């Protein structure tokens, strides 16, 4: 994994997902989370005008946060995100072609996967980390078992239904971090609300890391 991504990810271990954010509010709302300490954020491509939001965020927070796109499923989308200034590609499921094209363009990539075969294939394709999605289908005990046989240098990030209450069990099972969805941001949330949510997750993550 690239040194910059490794360093930033290890600092917080969290990726903020801003599904439904609009370009007009993106800088203020996402910026509130970044100012609270969140350093990696994504705008899913099924949000309103997502490429415009990514463009604005990439410009506003250059050097301060890694900004990218989620729900990326095609090579054309990877290229469009790169054109908009995005640095990170996140997919909802395993797509070898998407991972390889993202790496060709010098982007970070965290593809979604669920089975051991998919996870290993994403690692072989060059993934910087793998999103375990939906996390509800992989109990911490299953994740712990997988960690014993998967490449030790591959960070696994449960995504989907992650809350303050279930993070500890996943961390104890070997999760490297998490993707935060609706518990961090729901369409229409204010910047103040998002900043407060981000601070709570970051503080909790710091406590979990200290305990490990």
């Amino acid at each position: 994994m690239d040194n910059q991504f490794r360093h930033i990810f290890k600092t917080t271990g969290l990726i903020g997902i801003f599904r439904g954010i609009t370009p007009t509010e993106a800088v203020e709302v996402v910026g509130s989370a970044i100012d609270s300490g969140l350093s990696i954020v994504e705008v899913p491509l099924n949000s309103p005008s997502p490429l415009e939001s990514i463009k604005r965020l990439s410009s506003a927070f250059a050097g301060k946060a890694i900004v990218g796109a989620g729900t990326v499923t095609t090579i054309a989308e990877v290229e469009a995100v790169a054109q908009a200034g995005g640095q990170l590609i996140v997919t909802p499921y395993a797509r070898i072609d998407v991972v390889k094209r993202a790496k060709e363009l010098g982007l970070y990539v965290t593809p979604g996967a669920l089975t051991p075969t998919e996870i290993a294939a994403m690692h072989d394709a060059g993934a910087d980390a793998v999103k375990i999605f939906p996390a509800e289908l992989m109990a911490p005990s299953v994740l712990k078992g997988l960690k014993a046989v998967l490449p030790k240098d591959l960070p696994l990030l449960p995504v989907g239904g992650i809350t303050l209450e279930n993070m500890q069990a996943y961390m104890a099972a070997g999760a490297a971090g998490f993707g935060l969805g609706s518990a961090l941001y729901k369409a229409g949330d204010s910047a103040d609300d998002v900043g407060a949510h981000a601070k709570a997750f970051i503080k909790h993550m710091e406590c979990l890391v200290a305990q490990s």
Side-chain angles (χ1 to χ4, degrees):
M1 183 161 47
D2 179 272
N3 287 337
Q4 183 191 14
F5 189 94
R6 183 187 296 273
H7 174 73
I8 292 176
F9 185 76
K10 281 190 173 181
T11 300
T12 59
L14 301 170
I15 298 176
I17 303 167
F18 290 85
R19 189 179 307 279
I21 198 82
T22 65
T24 55
E25 64 184 337
V27 171
E28 180 184 8
V29 173
V30 180
S32 180
I34 293 172
D35 289 342
S36 296
L38 199 62
S39 300
I40 308 176
V41 299
E42 63 156 281
V43 177
L45 292 186
N46 54 2
S47 302
S49 303
L51 295 176
E52 180 60 27
S53 290
I54 291 168
K55 182 178 180 180
R56 295 186 186 190
L57 290 168
S58 297
S59 176
F61 301 106
K64 188 173 183 179
I66 291 176
V67 176
T71 321
V72 179
T73 61
T74 69
I75 288 175
E77 289 173 344
V78 172
E79 294 170 347
V81 171
Q83 285 287 327
Q87 299 172 276
L88 170 69
I89 297 295
V90 181
T91 77
Y93 44 78
R95 287 297 303 266
I96 290 175
D97 57 343
V98 168
V99 173
K100 289 185 174 180
R101 183 55 178 152
K103 298 313 296 180
E104 288 173 355
L105 293 174
L107 307 179
Y108 306 118
V109 58
T110 302
L114 192 61
T115 69
T117 300
E118 288 179 344
I119 296 169
M122 295 302 95
H123 176 265
D124 292 344
D128 295 291
V130 170
K131 178 178 79 171
I132 303 300
F133 180 79
E136 294 97 329
L137 294 181
M138 185 179 289
S141 59
V142 177
L143 179 65
K144 183 177 181 179
L146 284 179
K147 286 289 294 182
V149 298
L150 290 169
K152 297 187 183 302
D153 64 338
L154 179 62
L156 302 181
L157 319 177
V159 180
I162 298 303
T163 65
L164 293 171
E165 290 71 32
N166 61 16
M167 290 169 65
Q168 183 175 12
Y170 279 110
M171 285 289 289
F178 303 92
L180 305 176
S182 59
L184 172 69
Y185 170 79
K186 295 188 293 293
D189 281 355
S190 70
D192 287 344
D193 286 342
V194 171
H197 296 161
K199 286 178 182 177
F201 274 107
I202 290 167
K203 181 178 180 180
H204 189 52
M205 191 69 176
E206 289 173 346
C207 290
L208 293 179
V209 171
Q211 294 170 8
S212 63

